[in-house]
Amino acid sequence: MSSSSSPSSEAPSFTPGAAAALLARCASCAAAAAIHARLLRCSRAFFSSPYLANCLAAAYSGLGAAHSAVAILRHAPVRLNVFSHNILLAALISSRLLEDARKLFDGMPHRDAVSYNSIISGYIAGSRPDDAFWIVHDMKARGVQPTGFTFSIVSTAIHSVSHGLQLHGAVIRHGLAHSDAVVGNTLIDMYRGLMQYAARVFSCMQELDAASWNSVMAVYKDQSHSSGVFECFQSMRSKGLSVDGFTMSTVLSACSDMEDFTQGDQILALCLKTSLISNSVVCSAVISFLCMSDRLSHAVRLFRGMATWNSEPCNAMISGYARSGLMEEALSLFAAALRNGVVPTEFTFSSILRWSSCFGMMEQGTQIHCLVCKLGFGDDVIVATALTDMYCKLGLMKTARKIFNAVHSKDLVLWNTMLLGLLQNGRDKEALRMFRRMVKRCIRPDKITLFGALSACSSKGLVTEGLDIISLFKDKYHVMPSLEHHVCIVDILSQAGMFREAVNYAEGQVAEMWSCCIL
């Protein structure tokens, strides 16, 4: 063997630093394995410290070969350090071996914020939020300082206002609420259904990036506060921030919601000017806008001109056909999308089911229901809401209730859908029981819930209960009744023969509304 090919001559040029740099740039497991083999050929002295073992394990773990990472660290000839344990912990969690990860975590001689973040994210990804919250409390008890990433992870498991406020308070105590843009954006996303809280977080942030503006715009959009969306968009442009596909789709969707077609056309022109219309999310928003503004033929032309099909534009086009009464075209496109390998999303099913129920197409609706079950969307709350709504509109309440009860994590929209569905089918007592279940389970209601609960009381003339409900919404949930709610109260009083009280109530509300206008 020549000296040029001997391991000893190769070793000096192949240093641990060079090997680590190569491992950090590896794009495949085969490349990592090749470097691993070369290291073993050079000299086992390379592994006299845990440095290269950690680099190898991190490379394997990052490339999806968690089992190789685990094997390297478990058989390493050196004593592992905290970095080794963290890499091993991440590898076990990525392999969904939560119990093994927890055993390793409990046995670690030293844990840092990375260790805690890994096990917390593992529990949250595994739908075990209670275990995640226990780890957070342990982190605090042991004096380990949480990072912005810690709060970002935990926020995804928050489903109540009280827990959200507790997390927000902890963020403020650690000085991250105003100074860290990522944490601020996380809080805005967490307060997605509470516009005032989200807007307050946004206004207090010291540094705003494009994601901050996009997040708060999404909140305004969800709460139908379109003027807020437009103000944010104008501010972004005036500050010289670059807009992206998410920005444009949000603004264009707000134009559709407000039926502001003049401003929508201006946004559409900007999409064309910036070439963002090639973005599938923007393209779907444009298709929806064109359909909403009675330009279906333009939407069809845009859709047919797409180089490839994606789920978002398909959803928009299916919905556009259906809302125009062209259910045959909508169903044909749905079938064509499946044949072309476009995997339907929860929004695809939601769109097609919504319009199937509107046109009383029970056979097509039940066929789509079978496909929902076949593709594993049965427990998805968006699809379940659409199915519940469809069966309620078709009068098949037994099936609607079965679907509703099968959903493990019900959101407010699903509760409201079932509540209104019971009312539409003359089941007022059941609707009232449904409302009581919501309150008992600490589901925060909204104005739709209030309308449903009061309507149930109205048909039965339940005066005391109706007045208690409207007081509950004002005092506990801070939901201020609108005209339709006051009409329900007047109707309740009238149904009970309390005409004088009904007149007094109506006059009192008119006087209150008039005084508010003057102020």
Side-chain angles (χ1 to χ4, degrees):
M1 181 182 293
S2 65
S3 60
S4 62
S5 60
S6 66
S8 59
S9 63
E10 183 182 21
S13 62
F14 193 53
T15 63
L22 287 172
L23 287 168
R25 295 197 297 269
C26 277
S28 68
C29 287
I35 296 171
H36 188 183
R38 187 178 176 188
L39 284 169
L40 292 173
R41 286 198 307 272
C42 288
S43 171
R44 291 189 177 273
F46 274 108
F47 296 101
S48 59
S49 74
Y51 174 66
L52 273 182
N54 289 346
C55 291
L56 264 173
Y60 278 127
S61 182
L63 294 166
H67 59 285
S68 298
V70 172
I72 286 173
L73 291 178
R74 282 185 169 169
H75 299 95
V78 293
R79 187 186 180 110
L80 301 182
N81 56 25
V82 66
F83 301 105
S84 313
H85 285 123
N86 284 341
I87 294 167
L88 183 54
L89 190 63
L92 290 170
I93 289 169
S94 68
S95 299
R96 299 182 180 179
L97 300 172
L98 271 179
E99 299 308 320
D100 290 345
R102 180 59 188 271
K103 287 179 183 177
L104 171 66
F105 178 81
D106 289 340
M108 287 173 65
H110 176 69
R111 305 173 199 152
D112 59 11
V114 175
S115 319
Y116 278 96
N117 288 344
S118 293
I119 197 71
I120 291 167
S121 62
Y123 278 135
I124 290 176
S127 300
R128 294 170 60 177
D130 290 341
D131 291 318
F133 292 143
W134 188 92
I135 295 293
V136 172
H137 289 305
D138 182 68
M139 185 180 191
K140 180 181 178 182
R142 294 178 183 272
V144 178
Q145 189 79 357
T147 65
F149 187 58
T150 313
F151 294 117
S152 297
I153 301 167
V154 175
S155 71
T156 61
I158 299 295
H159 298 295
S160 71
V161 177
S162 59
H163 287 161
L165 292 173
Q166 289 176 20
L167 178 66
H168 192 174
V171 171
I172 291 173
R173 286 195 298 274
H174 286 87
L176 297 173
H178 304 151
S179 59
D180 191 313
V182 174
V183 175
N185 297 343
T186 297
L187 290 174
I188 293 171
D189 289 335
M190 182 187 73
Y191 285 132
R192 193 84 179 235
L194 298 168
M195 186 174 69
Q196 290 180 335
Y197 288 88
R200 181 61 185 270
V201 172
F202 178 80
S203 65
C204 292
M205 290 173 63
Q206 294 170 359
E207 292 188 16
L208 299 170
D209 55 17
S212 311
W213 289 95
N214 284 341
S215 294
V216 78
M217 284 168 65
V219 173
Y220 286 139
K221 165 68 175 57
D222 289 348
Q223 298 298 310
S224 300
H225 187 50
S226 298
S227 60
V229 176
F230 299 143
E231 287 173 11
C232 287
F233 179 68
Q234 290 166 0
S235 295
M236 283 187 75
R237 300 270 290 165
S238 66
K239 293 178 185 297
L241 290 171
S242 59
V243 296
D244 56 16
F246 186 89
T247 315
M248 301 304 288
S249 63
T250 302
V251 177
L252 200 54
S253 297
C255 292
S256 297
D257 293 343
M258 286 188 69
E259 298 187 7
D260 187 343
F261 303 133
T262 301
Q263 184 154 283
D265 284 338
Q266 294 175 3
I267 302 298
L268 178 55
L270 184 59
C271 290
L272 292 167
K273 181 180 179 181
T274 56
S275 299
L276 283 170
I277 200 165
S278 60
N279 181 299
S280 62
V281 177
V282 175
C283 185
S284 64
V286 171
I287 290 171
S288 296
F289 173 74
L290 291 172
C291 293
M292 183 68 71
S293 56
D294 295 326
R295 288 177 279 182
L296 181 65
S297 60
H298 294 180
V300 172
R301 194 178 307 126
L302 173 62
F303 180 77
R304 288 178 177 172
M306 291 173 55
T308 57
W309 280 14
N310 292 308
S311 58
E312 292 89 353
C314 284
N315 291 342
M317 198 66 250
I318 289 169
S319 182
Y321 275 134
R323 74 180 302 276
S324 298
L326 302 173
M327 278 306 299
E328 185 175 340
E329 286 82 352
L331 291 169
S332 295
L333 178 55
F334 179 71
L338 288 173
R339 287 195 300 270
N340 280 275
V342 178
V343 180
T345 67
E346 63 273 26
F347 300 106
T348 315
F349 287 118
S350 175
S351 177
I352 200 74
L353 286 167
R354 174 190 174 193
W355 294 107
S356 294
S357 63
C358 289
F359 290 95
M361 303 175 71
M362 183 170 71
E363 182 179 351
Q364 290 84 346
T366 52
Q367 288 175 357
I368 295 167
H369 187 184
C370 291
L371 184 60
V372 164
C373 297
K374 183 178 179 180
L375 295 178
F377 282 89
D379 194 49
D380 183 273
V381 69
I382 294 174
V383 178
T385 301
L387 284 168
T388 302
D389 181 58
M390 181 187 76
Y391 283 116
C392 285
K393 286 177 178 174
L394 295 171
L396 301 173
M397 296 307 297
K398 186 176 180 180
T399 307
R401 186 178 283 280
K402 184 178 179 181
I403 293 167
F404 174 82
N405 290 334
V407 179
H408 177 68
S409 299
K410 302 177 181 66
D411 64 4
L412 176 61
V413 179
L414 179 55
W415 281 96
N416 282 344
T417 300
M418 193 69 228
L419 176 64
L420 296 180
L422 290 167
L423 285 170
Q424 291 162 6
N425 285 271
R427 303 195 178 194
D428 306 310
K429 286 185 178 180
E430 292 180 52
L432 205 51
R433 285 199 295 270
M434 181 69 63
F435 170 71
R436 291 171 185 147
R437 280 178 63 191
M438 288 181 66
V439 173
K440 189 175 181 181
R441 298 193 182 193
C442 299
I443 305 296
R444 187 178 180 84
D446 61 4
K447 291 189 175 184
I448 297 173
T449 320
L450 175 57
F451 176 76
L454 292 177
S455 297
C457 293
S458 176
S459 64
K460 298 298 178 185
L462 301 174
V463 176
T464 303
E465 185 139 17
L467 293 173
D468 287 344
I469 287 172
I470 204 165
S471 297
L472 175 71
F473 272 75
K474 288 193 291 187
D475 299 338
K476 183 176 180 179
Y477 300 116
H478 307 293
V479 174
M480 299 312 296
S482 59
L483 180 60
E484 62 179 356
H485 302 122
H486 295 311
V487 169
C488 285
I489 293 295
V490 172
D491 191 43
I492 292 172
L493 294 168
S494 300
Q495 290 282 348
M498 303 170 66
F499 301 111
R500 173 48 56 190
E501 288 82 354
V503 171
N504 291 340
Y505 181 86
E507 290 177 345
Q509 294 306 320
V510 169
E512 184 176 336
M513 292 170 66
W514 179 250
S515 64
C516 289
C517 290
I518 294 174
L519 292 174

